[in-house]
Amino acid sequence: MTQTSKPPRIVIVGAGTAGLNLATRLSHKFGRHGKAEITLVDENLSHMWKPSLHEFAAGTKGFDEEISLLEHSHRNDYSFRLGRFTGIDREKKLVHLQAVNDPANRPLAPKRALPYDILVLAIGSRSNDFGTPGVAENCMMLDTPAQAKRLQAELLNLFLRFQTGALCTRDDKLELTIIGAGATGVELAAELREAAGQFARNGIHKVRRPDAVTIRVLEAAPRVLGALPENISMKVERHLRELHIDVHCGAKVARIEPGSVHLADGTEFTSNLTVWAAGVRAPEVIGQLEGFETGSLGRLKVRPTLQTLADDQIYALGDCADCPWPAKETSLPPRAQVATQQAEFMERQIAAQLAGKPLKPFSYADHGSLVAISNEGAVGSLMGKAIGTITIEGWLARRAYRSLHFLHRKSVLGTWRATLSSLIGGASKRIRPKLKLH
Ligand SMILES: Cc1cc2nc3c(=O)[nH]c(=O)nc-3n(C[C@H](O)[C@H](O)[C@H](O)COP(=O)(O)OP(=O)(O)OC[C@H]3O[C@@H](n4cnc5c(N)ncnc54)[C@H](O)[C@@H]3O)c2cc1C
């Protein structure tokens, strides 16, 4: 990097699991002491922990855990810019941002370009519809807080319409279909069963009948949670069946129509609400970046140092990066654990770059996987040098699952604020309704 008297400008695009964590770390390390100018860009004004989106969508968790990026940047030593990332001018070292409008189409932030010395892309992933006809028109998705809010409103309206008779359904039943039995699909199915129970207890009497709400999961692969070990997959499937969730594996969806889902083998399912959760891919803008190479799932190829192949000053991390995983001779999976470890690593990497020291390769430590099964707890494995691999389930697994969210909040809010908000959250859970009913 060229030596200038001005502090280097570090721009991070994407305030998700990786981006917000990194911005917080860099602001403490450099921003606070004026050693670098840190700017965080996002197309949304707030941050939510993405692995909890299914709980917000089902209404079993309130939206009060959102972190305002304006307030967070003010508390920490970085600048927040609202904008949608659309491209990079590598010669002029500019990040292009598209204008962001409010729902009435009035501009909130104009189209503009931000200068950078170091650029970090952390824009996450989007659902992958694999070109399946009818998905965009007839399915809900769970990629963003806005989609989670829409799904929660849609679900509430569906149950209300069913109760009031405004909606007549086949066999007088509600049928909810989730396509994809990865972590998102499985966790959402369990959460929807919990929500249906809460609706029944809170005035939606028509769903008190045990068979009034069908929840089905359709998965093209031979088993649920294909990316996880088989013993976890079997345990999770057993839990789902105990919750009266219909699991159909080997069910390849050919098209979605309004009110129905059609499989390649000709089977048709009626569906009053269909959610597409069958895998992810990088946002389209990644494929449109000139001169950059993309790899699996359309992600930006990076070297083990997390630098893009095209440009030493541009890094990518989290779900949008295709990072080698030498231990498994593949790429790292799009998971919160990877995004978090990469954010922690990037703080040290950028420090090394600014100090003119050699960069190191990122090394991923797989600590296992946990899948939440609503109030039933969670199932998963923990991995570590001292313990090897152990399978855990129930209360202990649920605690471990919750601790991941707490650790994230601790890294972005600090120990004191994260602990306090967790205590307040725990207390308010006891007094507020178990389901969002408005
Ligand atoms: C329902 C659900 C459950 C999950 N459960 C688990 C789990 O149990 N365990 C696990 O490891 N992983 C889980 N995941 C995956 C996990 O959430 C992701 O791997 C992780 O959030 C990736 O972090 P990230 O920072 O790369 O992206 P994200 O956290 O998705 O953040 C991306 C950010 O970029 C912003 N952005 C996107 N495009 C643009 C643009 N063009 N311009 C500006 N800003 C942009 C977004 O607004 C967002 O703030 C789950 C995901 C979902 C949806």
Side-chain angles (χ1 to χ4, degrees):
M1 198 190 311
T2 51
Q3 288 293 318
T4 62
S5 53
K6 283 187 180 170
R9 294 159 300 189
I10 304 171
V11 175
I12 303 161
V13 185
T17 306
L20 186 60
N21 192 329
L22 178 63
T24 312
R25 287 168 181 278
L26 291 178
S27 76
H28 293 173
K29 195 167 191 125
F30 300 114
R32 186 166 290 173
H33 312 291
K35 290 184 185 160
E37 253 177 47
I38 321 291
T39 304
L40 179 64
V41 177
D42 203 284
E43 57 186 346
N44 292 304
L45 282 169
S46 65
H47 163 90
M48 269 170 107
W49 170 242
K50 200 172 174 184
S52 289
L53 282 189
H54 61 287
E55 294 171 89
F56 300 116
T60 49
K61 197 174 205 167
F63 284 90
D64 45 5
E65 286 181 1
E66 269 178 296
I67 295 173
S68 154
L69 294 169
L70 284 170
E71 198 259 358
H72 188 266
S73 62
H74 174 68
R75 259 180 202 277
N76 295 277
D77 295 276
Y78 69 89
S79 312
F80 170 67
R81 297 282 177 266
L82 180 67
R84 176 167 303 147
F85 165 70
T86 49
I88 306 167
D89 181 337
R90 280 166 54 206
E91 224 163 86
K92 294 189 182 145
K93 292 196 159 190
L94 292 173
V95 181
H96 290 294
L97 303 182
Q98 189 185 310
V100 175
N101 292 348
D102 71 5
N105 220 19
R106 290 169 303 198
L108 287 175
K111 180 178 170 182
R112 63 214 191 278
L114 294 180
Y116 68 85
D117 294 306
I118 296 176
L119 174 62
V120 183
L121 298 176
I123 59 171
S125 57
R126 288 280 180 270
S127 290
N128 190 352
D129 69 7
F130 303 99
T132 313
V135 173
E137 303 84 348
N138 304 308
C139 291
M140 309 217 61
M141 293 191 183
L142 204 44
D143 295 325
T144 63
Q147 288 174 342
K149 284 177 189 171
R150 220 174 299 138
L151 181 48
Q152 187 266 330
E154 193 69 21
L155 191 70
L156 174 61
N157 290 348
L158 185 71
F159 277 75
L160 282 173
R161 286 164 62 222
F162 185 59
Q163 171 67 26
T164 59
L167 172 75
C168 297
T169 60
R170 197 179 70 127
D171 299 334
D172 207 21
K173 276 183 181 181
L174 275 181
E175 298 188 51
L176 315 179
T177 308
I178 297 160
I179 298 159
T184 305
V186 159
E187 291 182 339
L188 178 65
E191 217 56 41
L192 289 181
R193 179 53 80 204
E194 167 68 18
Q198 291 297 338
F199 277 123
R201 268 170 242 135
N202 287 281
I204 312 291
H205 304 305
K206 261 184 94 175
V207 298
R208 282 191 180 160
R209 271 184 5 246
D211 66 342
V213 184
T214 298
I215 299 174
R216 75 171 65 86
V217 179
L218 305 178
E219 169 58 54
R223 62 181 174 93
V224 304
L225 299 170
L228 300 188
E230 203 163 346
N231 64 332
I232 294 179
S233 158
M234 282 165 63
K235 278 177 194 288
V236 167
E237 189 169 333
R238 197 192 66 226
H239 279 291
L240 293 179
R241 293 196 192 283
E242 282 167 6
L243 290 171
H244 304 287
I245 291 167
D246 299 344
V247 180
H248 301 259
C249 290
K252 189 169 174 0
V253 172
R255 67 179 195 284
I256 320 279
E257 289 185 1
S260 61
V261 177
H262 300 257
L263 301 189
D265 67 6
T267 311
E268 176 185 340
F269 293 104
T270 301
S271 184
N272 304 112
L273 182 79
T274 309
V275 183
W276 186 267
V280 295
R281 53 166 291 113
E284 263 174 31
V285 64
I286 293 286
Q288 293 158 1
L289 298 177
E290 249 176 66
F292 288 85
E293 208 176 311
T294 54
S296 78
L297 308 174
R299 297 178 295 176
L300 207 49
K301 272 196 172 181
V302 294
R303 288 170 257 168
T305 54
L306 301 188
Q307 288 164 303
T308 53
L309 301 190
D311 196 317
D312 282 358
Q313 308 306 325
I314 303 180
Y315 295 81
L317 70 165
D319 281 9
C320 72
D322 183 8
C323 178
W325 192 7
K328 303 259 171 164
E329 293 180 358
T330 175
S331 310
L332 288 170
R335 286 167 59 182
Q337 207 184 136
V338 173
T340 303
Q341 287 183 29
Q342 288 183 334
E344 290 164 6
F345 168 84
M346 271 304 293
E347 178 196 354
R348 298 190 294 276
Q349 194 74 312
I350 289 180
Q353 179 173 350
L354 294 181
K357 292 185 181 161
L359 300 187
K360 293 195 172 150
F362 171 69
S363 165
Y364 174 57
D366 190 352
H367 297 305
S369 311
L370 290 162
V371 180
I373 314 289
S374 178
N375 279 348
E376 289 291 296
V379 178
S381 60
L382 294 182
M383 291 160 80
K385 278 190 187 137
I387 55 169
T389 302
I390 53 167
T391 303
I392 56 168
E393 61 185 300
W395 180 84
L396 183 63
R398 188 74 190 180
R399 297 301 306 167
Y401 180 87
R402 289 264 177 248
S403 72
L404 297 176
H405 186 188
F406 177 75
L407 290 175
H408 174 71
R409 286 179 75 77
K410 189 170 148 227
S411 59
V412 298
L413 295 176
T415 308
W416 165 239
R417 290 186 74 215
T419 308
L420 194 63
S421 80
S422 152
L423 290 174
I424 293 170
S428 75
K429 229 172 151 181
R430 294 182 181 275
I431 50 168
R432 68 164 185 238
K434 290 195 164 39
L435 190 70
K436 192 167 190 297
L437 289 160
H438 57 273

